[in-house]
Amino acid sequence: MRVLVTGASGQLGREVLPRLRDGGHTVRAVSRRPREDSTVEWMAADLATGDGLAAAVDGVEAVLHLASSPVRRTHAVDVLGTGRLVAAADRAGVGHLVYVSIVGVDRVPFGYYRHKLAAEQVVAAGPVPWSVLRATQFPEFLEGLLRGASRLGPVIGDPAVVAQPVDSGEVASRLVAMLAAGPSYAVAEFGGPQVLRFDEAVRTWRAARGSHRPLLPVRIPGRFGRALRSGGLTTTVTPTGTRTWAEHLADTYGGTGRR
């Protein structure tokens, strides 16, 4: 199957591309700027403007839509851009579009999540057969939050917030399986093997880094904080991934202490 991957240069895209190739698929990768890769056909396209989308979807049988812009031009890229992609895919006769979203977009009151939920709705309302996978947060994202929260010395955060980090490689494998299975016309969820409180994640992180920074508890106020403490970022569905937060940290730091 010839598969178009948007957002192919991102973390998840880098995990998806080799798995698609290993599965015997022909891969066309899209990013905003052209790239050189002898194993993948790279094309430049811009979701925010629509430039290059018609050529990108021409001749492909399925689209794996990973592209997102959480910081800037989010509505233009995630919502309007997804609409442009769906329209172009329909004109090209694409048989399956898989969209990657985030667990909690329907429960956590956060601006970026509202855009992701709106993009899901664009996909579901469109004419192209579809599937949606909501994944929990990657461990690299959680680690970045911890680094940011400890810039002033102690690790600052709400100890009762819960998360369920999932390995991006396992999400990539799940996506490849969904492509092979065909359109589900449903929203599925996929999370990591453990639900962790923030204070538990901090303890494991400090141990892996050989750090003794104290945790300074600060309660996140309002509806946003309540959603995070009540498990808005977690899922109860199975199956889940298998790689734990501790295994990620061991692979990252290798028992050598702080980096």
Side-chain angles (χ1 to χ4, degrees):
M1 181 165 46
R2 183 179 291 275
V3 181
L4 172 71
V5 181
T6 73
S9 60
Q11 180 181 352
L12 185 55
R14 293 192 298 270
E15 296 284 356
V16 162
L17 295 184
R19 286 168 171 79
L20 287 172
R21 294 196 303 266
D22 291 346
H25 300 289
T26 302
V27 182
R28 178 180 293 168
V30 166
S31 59
R32 289 182 60 202
R33 296 175 181 82
R35 295 170 181 261
E36 294 295 331
D37 187 335
S38 60
T39 64
V40 173
E41 179 189 4
W42 280 91
M43 297 185 68
D46 190 341
L47 288 167
T49 63
D51 292 343
L53 284 182
V57 298
D58 184 42
V60 304
E61 299 164 77
V63 173
L64 183 51
H65 184 21
L66 312 180
S68 184
S69 182
V71 177
R72 56 187 297 268
R73 301 196 308 167
T74 305
H75 184 71
V77 172
D78 286 70
V79 183
L80 300 180
T82 294
R84 295 183 186 99
L85 178 64
V86 169
D90 178 45
R91 290 191 293 268
V94 171
H96 188 193
L97 188 149
V98 179
Y99 178 62
V100 177
S101 189
I102 305 169
V103 168
V105 292
D106 55 342
R107 300 191 298 272
V108 178
F110 181 53
Y112 175 52
Y113 281 18
R114 287 193 291 271
H115 290 302
K116 294 293 286 185
L117 182 60
E120 286 185 13
Q121 294 164 348
V122 169
V123 170
V128 179
W130 60 275
S131 307
V132 171
L133 180 66
R134 292 177 181 168
T136 55
Q137 304 292 339
F138 296 154
E140 293 84 356
F141 176 79
L142 177 56
E143 190 171 2
L145 287 180
L146 293 177
R147 287 182 179 273
S150 60
R151 284 181 298 178
L152 300 179
V155 185
I156 303 171
D158 189 330
V161 166
V162 290
Q164 191 178 356
V166 65
D167 179 68
S168 58
E170 293 180 328
V171 175
S173 295
R174 186 74 168 172
L175 289 168
V176 173
M178 289 177 68
L179 280 171
S184 67
Y185 297 95
V187 178
E189 294 189 347
F190 189 67
Q194 297 173 301
V195 174
L196 297 171
R197 280 174 48 114
F198 183 81
D199 51 2
E200 295 172 326
V202 169
R203 282 195 293 271
T204 309
W205 182 68
R206 288 186 309 196
R209 301 175 72 237
S211 171
H212 300 286
R213 294 171 183 254
L215 171 61
L216 178 61
V218 176
R219 185 178 178 87
I220 300 174
R223 292 176 54 236
F224 181 63
R226 289 194 297 273
L228 297 183
R229 288 187 293 273
S230 65
L233 298 179
T234 68
T235 179
T236 59
V237 303
T238 56
T240 66
T242 60
R243 188 166 181 253
T244 66
W245 171 238
E247 288 171 333
H248 163 77
L249 293 173
D251 290 343
T252 300
Y253 295 104
T256 59
R258 185 186 310 239
R259 287 187 185 175

